[in-house]
Amino acid sequence: MSRILVTGANGFVGRNLCRELLQSGHAVTGLVRKAGSCVDGVQEWVHDSKDFSGLDADWPERLSADCVVHVAARVHVMRDDVVDSLAEFRATNVDGARRVAEAAYRHSVRRMVFVSSIKAVAETDSGQPLREDDPASPQDAYGRSKLEAEQALTTFGSRTGLDVVIVRPPLVYGPGVRANFLKLMAAIARGVPLPLGAIGARRSVVYVGNLAQALAQCATDPRAARGCFHVADRDAPTVTGLALSIGRHLHKPTRLVPVPTSWLRAAGRLTGCAESVDRLVSDLRVDTSRIEAVLGWQPPYSTDEGLAVTAEWYRSTH
């Protein structure tokens, strides 16, 4: 049994990770900003300072951990009206992560698993699935902040001996999902016609249950030491295929209009959404061969199984 501290334990990924760890017999402490929000069986540590300031001084006297899994982050904001978006992302995702690492090291934690993002590497692939050693070229403030956090934590680990493990997932879906994936499900459920019927681009995704299992293994497996791993479902569905699968599991007819990709790109330029459209119609495939080879990890759920569970959740809650 290991003792695991999970930041963001009450969030979408954090709650699923805590369940996975508890089911595997580990002792779990959840670092959260609001009490009473973790899954049953998690010991809560409430620390409500912004960006983890004062974390070291606030560390509970009796809290001992073998590993901290740093899930908490400032994620993509759909309507971000801050003056300096990159500064806001850096404050939480870089400075905050560094404070967590410093506090963990000072309190004898041996390993830190940092949940990064494939966006730290790229928004699209260049003809081959993205590997961990591909040159990083993040395209937005979120991706840049995640890459900077990776670099800061790796440097800190090299200097102090803290074992830093980096995990880069693509888009995460599952029960409780929010943001664009939820908007897509809602549109399909309502029968809204969508211009996605001719997009052959393949986009890797990861079911939250697969990600939780991979994070749990990275937290406890000695072979993960100082590793960087890409985690995704085995499938990389086309955008069209993903929408059709969602509709099938929602038991709704998926109304997809086969708009040519060139038209979509033109519409994106006219509406100021060129970058978003370019990502939508471009491949983003993730190579998971390293975590498979080093840890023997295999995704326990297929994309179809993950979508089925996600659709069942949506039907029961909306």
Side-chain angles (χ1 to χ4, degrees), residues 191-241:
V192 176
L194 299 171
L196 307 178
I199 303 180
R202 293 191 174 274
R203 309 281 298 183
S204 287
V205 293
V206 62
Y207 175 54
V208 70
N210 289 338
L211 177 58
Q213 201 277 340
L215 291 174
Q217 187 167 358
C218 286
T220 58
D221 193 325
R223 297 173 296 177
R226 303 188 186 283
C228 177
F229 302 106
H230 288 179
V231 175
D233 291 355
R234 185 167 299 283
D235 311 308
T238 65
V239 173
T240 300

Side-chain angles (χ1 to χ4, degrees), residues 5-39:
L5 173 64
V6 178
T7 72
N10 55 350
F12 171 47
V13 173
R15 290 175 67 85
N16 283 274
L17 172 59
C18 288
R19 290 190 189 98
E20 177 70 30
L21 290 168
L22 290 169
Q23 289 170 5
S24 299
H26 302 296
V28 183
T29 299
L31 176 56
V32 294
R33 298 185 67 177
K34 181 180 178 182
S37 54
C38 289
V39 299

Side-chain angles (χ1 to χ4, degrees), residues 62-110:
R62 296 184 178 181
L63 175 59
S64 179
D66 301 303
C67 176
V68 54
V69 184
H70 187 46
V71 182
R74 176 180 170 84
V75 297
H76 173 66
V77 180
M78 298 176 70
R79 292 183 178 85
D80 197 349
D81 57 0
V82 299
V83 175
D84 190 340
S85 179
L86 181 56
E88 293 291 329
F89 278 112
R90 280 173 171 159
T92 300
N93 296 349
V94 184
D95 297 339
R98 187 186 294 113
R99 291 184 186 111
V100 172
E102 290 170 350
Y105 171 71
R106 288 170 186 160
H107 292 274
S108 302
V109 178
R110 296 193 300 270

Side-chain angles (χ1 to χ4, degrees), residues 34 69 139 156 163 166 183 216 246 257 304:
K34 181 180 178 182
V69 184
Q139 298 299 304
F156 182 80
D163 177 7
I166 294 166
K183 290 177 66 177
I246 291 172
V257 182
D304 193 65

Side-chain angles (χ1 to χ4, degrees), residues 117-118 120-122 124-126 128-137 150 168 228-231 284-291 293:
S117 168
I118 200 64
V121 183
T124 62
D125 67 55
S126 300
Q128 295 293 332
L130 294 173
R131 296 173 56 88
E132 290 83 352
D133 54 0
D134 283 339
S137 182
E150 290 183 12
R168 296 175 179 152
C228 177
F229 302 106
H230 288 179
V231 175
L284 178 61
R285 295 161 298 167
V286 174
D287 186 324
T288 61
S289 59
R290 177 177 290 181
I291 192 170

